[in-house]
């Protein structure tokens, strides 16, 4: 390593760019542990009000001249800390700063007649929300039934909910006393013709209550992510022309409609451009709670003692000595580093005009990081015993966030199927090479072998999917039937693609590390990546890509990796850059028992 560079510093470079260090003083000033302490014992309405008080607190400390969405070097660190401090706030924060502001910047680009709305959002005078999904159509944002009918006499739009199936759900806009403004997706109707799906800026409520024609019905709050969920419907709400986020479309003074996109279907697909903000935000926030869960659990395992049966009832020893705990917790560390590298890869400047392949990578990473977050938060909780179930230690909060984002921005399964669909069409996609070295020339700890194995699995599954689809079409089957019997293969293809992307990220980002740090980082990442390869050993055996000896050697290799990692485990946990004071989990400290009781005890001396 370079002089003055510690092992921890080198490993932390996998988690954050150097610019992150420059934001730390500002983050520390905003997120005082007292102000952002985990809420306890609050009724739902008070809990919801606290969420928006915290949002206003953050907004008051931001530079309002430039939308936060255009300050990505600050946005992503803020998203991390918000997710760690308060998962409910994270949800409200990204809806306000990313999807609401993002819709105006995206579809109102080049206009200055929306500056007042952007100013209100930046100052925190109103809180933004996104109203896309409807009760009767699940996550199908293409099936929106809410209508915005153009009135040529007033040059306004009349926003109407035609029936129960078109009611918007679940926007978090039920908290009284909080002025709200929504980005509402609706089918535009001009002169009786459907012109496709557009976004509209719609005031929903002021401090006194819902705006005229807006019906807001509060719904039960989810225990795993307390928010002021509601259903929202519209009864003839008048929307000014300037609040139409028209993108390239317009309506002339004589009522003539023009749009550079030639069909309503093409226009409706454009509204989905907002979803990319969800994918970026989810990847960053979920990686943060994955890192925190793994780091807290690993540190606690060094302070949690047992003298049970397998220790022969000898002197107590920390549970981290047990290999089964190491496999679980070091596996969590491994997944946390992989998730961190994925989040880092999406946190730079936004590319101009993302290609189809870049978009697929973005939503594929969102899907796989959500799976890792669900797995790591649950495993860390279970490995921490009864104290893992204590809400104070945050595992349940973080697990709830992972559960919530499984469906946000399209569900994980749908994203995998979309990825497989674009891959099967060959949209900006070339299958990896099918080149696996001979057994006598390879080492299971070698990242080049991980790449060869995962790339070959992806290539062969893709080839089978394409061949199966082609044969079904040749047999005269309709497109639904063509895909319906191949969804499982499609998911497997997308999951193989996702794993290969992660292997590429690990190889690329660890390559730049000094020798000692690179070896340790790759050993840590090997636990997760080899574990994923191990889950498909039957397939690899059947394909002749692994030998029986190699498959039999995998469990012992994973144990050996744990043994090599064990002396560095606390350093690895701390290098994940988790602000422990903000997380506030008592079990991260050696004296954690004192956090749970105020009783007095005799001096042990």
């Amino acid at each position: 390593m370079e002089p003055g560079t510690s092992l921890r510093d080198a490993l932390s470079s996998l988690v954050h760019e150097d610019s992150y260090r420059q934001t730390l003083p500002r983050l520390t000033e905003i997120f005082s542990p007292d102000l952002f302490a985990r809420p306890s014992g609050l009724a739902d309405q008070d809990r919801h009000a606290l969420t928006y008080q915290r949002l206003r607190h953050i907004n008051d400390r931001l530079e309002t001249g430039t939308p936060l969405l255009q300050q990505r070097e600050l946005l992503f660190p803020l998203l991390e800390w918000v997710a760690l401090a308060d998962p409910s706030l994270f949800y409200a924060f990204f809806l306000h700063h990313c999807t609401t502001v993002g819709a105006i910047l995206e579809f109102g680009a080049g206009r200055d007649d929306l500056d007042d709305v952007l100013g209100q959002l930046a100052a925190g005078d109103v809180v933004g929300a996104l109203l896309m999904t409807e009760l009767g159509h699940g996550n199908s944002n293409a099936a929106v039934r809410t209508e915005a009918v153009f009135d040529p006499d007033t040059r306004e739009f009349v926003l109407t909910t035609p029936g129960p199936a078109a009611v918007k759900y679940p926007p978090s806009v039920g908290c009284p006393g909080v002025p709200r403004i929504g980005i509402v997706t609706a089918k535009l109707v001009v002169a009786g013709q459907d012109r496709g799906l557009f976004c509209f800026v719609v005031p929903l409520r002021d401090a006194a209550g819902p705006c005229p024609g807006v019906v807001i019905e509060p719904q039960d709050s989810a225990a795993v992510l307390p928010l002021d969920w509601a259903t929202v419907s519209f009864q003839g709400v008048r929307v000014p022309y300037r609040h139409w986020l028209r993108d390239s479309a317009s309506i002339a003074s004589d009522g003539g409609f023009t749009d550079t996109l030639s069909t309503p279907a093409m226009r409706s697909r454009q509204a989905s451009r907002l979803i990319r903000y969800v994918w970026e935000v989810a990847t960053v926030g979920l990686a943060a709670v994955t890192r925190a869960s793994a780091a807290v659990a690993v540190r606690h395992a060094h302070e949690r003692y047992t003298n049970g049966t397998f220790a022969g009832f000898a002197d107590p020893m920390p549970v981290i000595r047990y290999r089964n705990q190491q496999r679980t917790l070091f596996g969590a560390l491994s997944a946390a580093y992989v998730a961190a590298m994925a989040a880092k890869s999406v946190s730079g400047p936004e590319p101009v005009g993302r290609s189809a392949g870049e978009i697929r990578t973005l939503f594929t990473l969102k899907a796989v990081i959500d799976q890792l977050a669900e797995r790591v938060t649950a495993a860390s909780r279970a490995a921490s015993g009864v104290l893992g179930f204590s809400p104070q230690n945050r595992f349940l909060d973080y697990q709830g966030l992972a559960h919530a984002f499984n469906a946000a921005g399209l569900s994980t399964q749908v994203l995998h199927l979309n990825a497989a669909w674009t891959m099967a069409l060959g949209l900006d996609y070339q299958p990896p090479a099918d080149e696996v070295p001979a057994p006598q020339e390879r080492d299971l700890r070698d990242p080049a072998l991980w790449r060869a194995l995962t790339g070959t699995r992806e290539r062969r599954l893709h080839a089978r999917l394409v061949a199966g689809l082609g044969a079904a079409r040749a047999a005269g089957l309709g497109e639904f039937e063509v895909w319906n019997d191949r969804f499982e293969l499609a998911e497997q293809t997308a999951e193989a693609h996702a794993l290969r992307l992660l292997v590429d990220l690990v190889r690329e980002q660890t390559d730049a590390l000094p020798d000692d740090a690179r070896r340790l980082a790759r050993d840590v990442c090997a636990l997760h990546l080899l574990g994923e390869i191990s889950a498909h050993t039957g397939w690899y055996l059947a394909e002749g890509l692994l030998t029986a000896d190699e498959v039999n050697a995998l469990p012992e290799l994973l144990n050996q990796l744990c043994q090599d990692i064990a002396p560095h485990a606390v350093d690895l946990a701390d290098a994940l850059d988790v602000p422990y004071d903000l997380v506030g989990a008592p079990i991260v400290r050696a004296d954690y028992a004192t956090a749970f009781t105020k009783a007095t005890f005799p001096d042990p001396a």
Side-chain angles (χ1 to χ4, degrees), residues 371-550:
Q371 291 178 317
L372 291 185
E374 289 194 279
R375 189 186 311 173
V376 169
T377 53
S380 299
R381 173 182 55 76
S384 299
V386 68
L387 290 179
F389 201 69
S390 166
Q392 291 171 263
N393 290 314
R394 305 310 296 266
F395 299 123
L396 291 170
D397 293 342
Y398 297 158
Q399 195 172 355
L401 187 67
H403 288 332
F405 268 94
N406 188 290
L410 299 181
S411 72
T412 295
Q413 184 178 55
V414 169
L415 290 175
H416 279 147
L417 293 175
N418 281 348
W421 179 71
T422 65
M423 292 162 66
L425 290 175
L427 294 179
D428 196 16
Y429 175 76
Q430 282 292 330
D434 192 337
E435 298 173 355
V436 177
Q440 61 269 23
E441 301 170 4
R442 63 197 192 193
D443 175 2
L444 286 171
R445 295 175 80 147
D446 181 2
L449 178 59
W450 310 339
R451 177 55 161 78
L453 290 171
T454 57
T456 298
R457 176 170 163 80
E458 177 185 343
R459 182 184 183 89
R460 294 188 184 182
L461 290 175
H462 174 263
R464 289 174 192 174
L465 177 63
V466 170
L469 294 171
R473 290 185 181 112
L477 296 180
E479 201 62 15
F480 174 76
E481 287 75 17
V482 164
W483 279 94
N484 201 31
D485 287 334
R486 291 163 187 83
F487 283 145
E488 183 178 8
L489 177 57
E491 280 193 78
Q492 290 172 351
T493 303
E495 287 168 350
H497 175 63
L499 183 59
R500 194 262 300 170
L501 289 177
L502 294 181
V503 170
D504 285 348
L505 279 171
V506 168
R507 292 182 72 201
E508 175 187 347
Q509 296 195 30
T510 58
D511 265 350
L513 295 177
D515 289 346
D516 290 346
R518 182 170 62 252
R519 281 192 293 271
L520 180 56
R522 287 185 168 174
D523 280 351
V524 171
C525 293
L527 275 179
H528 175 70
L529 299 174
L530 284 176
E532 292 296 298
I533 291 170
S534 181
H536 302 291
T537 50
W539 185 91
Y540 283 110
L541 275 170
E543 294 290 313
L545 299 172
L546 284 176
T547 68
D549 287 343
E550 287 172 324

